[in-house]
Amino acid sequence: TMNPSKVTRARLSHLTDLPNVGSAVADDLRLLGIEHPAQLIGLCPYALYERLNQITGLRHDPCMLDTFISITRFMNGEPAQPWWHYTAERKTRLNTEKLS
């Protein structure tokens, strides 16, 4: 898994060049039809997570959603962050959606 502090935006040729992405997450991204980091630009991490759950027939651990948030934000220009940086935000958003 690529440590966020070692990610170089200029060298993003493989999915595993992304922060927090190792071979297992790269495989999940390929299931979603994503072969290159640039394909993540403008995508919704929540929609990616739901689609992954639908395709695999599994409810993936929410930390996968945190990872999807980290890589979509990174590809949209934000600094690389560890996936757990987004856990509180994800919990707040999902709890808010359940209430509405």
Side-chain angles (χ1 to χ4, degrees), residues 8-53:
T8 307
R9 209 177 283 280
R11 280 192 257 129
L12 287 173
S13 51
H14 304 285
L15 294 172
T16 52
D17 294 335
L18 289 163
N20 310 302
V21 175
S23 60
V25 174
D27 289 344
D28 287 337
L29 289 168
R30 286 187 197 96
L31 280 176
L32 295 168
I34 296 166
E35 299 285 339
H36 191 273
Q39 290 175 273
L40 292 163
I41 296 170
L43 295 183
C44 172
Y46 295 88
L48 288 173
Y49 178 71
E50 288 305 320
R51 218 165 97 228
L52 181 63
N53 290 335

Side-chain angles (χ1 to χ4, degrees), residues 4-97:
S5 66
K6 297 186 187 314
V7 172
T8 307
R9 209 177 283 280
R11 280 192 257 129
L12 287 173
S13 51
H14 304 285
L15 294 172
T16 52
D17 294 335
L18 289 163
N20 310 302
V21 175
S23 60
V25 174
D27 289 344
D28 287 337
L29 289 168
R30 286 187 197 96
L31 280 176
L32 295 168
I34 296 166
E35 299 285 339
H36 191 273
Q39 290 175 273
L40 292 163
I41 296 170
L43 295 183
C44 172
Y46 295 88
L48 288 173
Y49 178 71
E50 288 305 320
R51 218 165 97 228
L52 181 63
N53 290 335
Q54 289 171 348
I55 289 170
T56 61
L58 302 169
R59 191 85 188 145
H60 289 264
D61 191 291
C63 66
M64 177 64 86
L65 174 52
D66 299 343
T67 299
F68 285 174
I69 296 169
S70 79
I71 60 178
T72 54
R73 297 276 176 82
F74 176 73
M75 288 308 298
N76 285 311
E78 291 186 21
Q81 298 282 359
W83 63 264
W84 58 85
H85 176 85
Y86 298 97
T87 303
E89 173 188 328
R90 181 239 320 147
K91 287 180 177 178
T92 299
R93 176 168 173 173
L94 294 182
N95 286 337
T96 302
E97 287 176 4

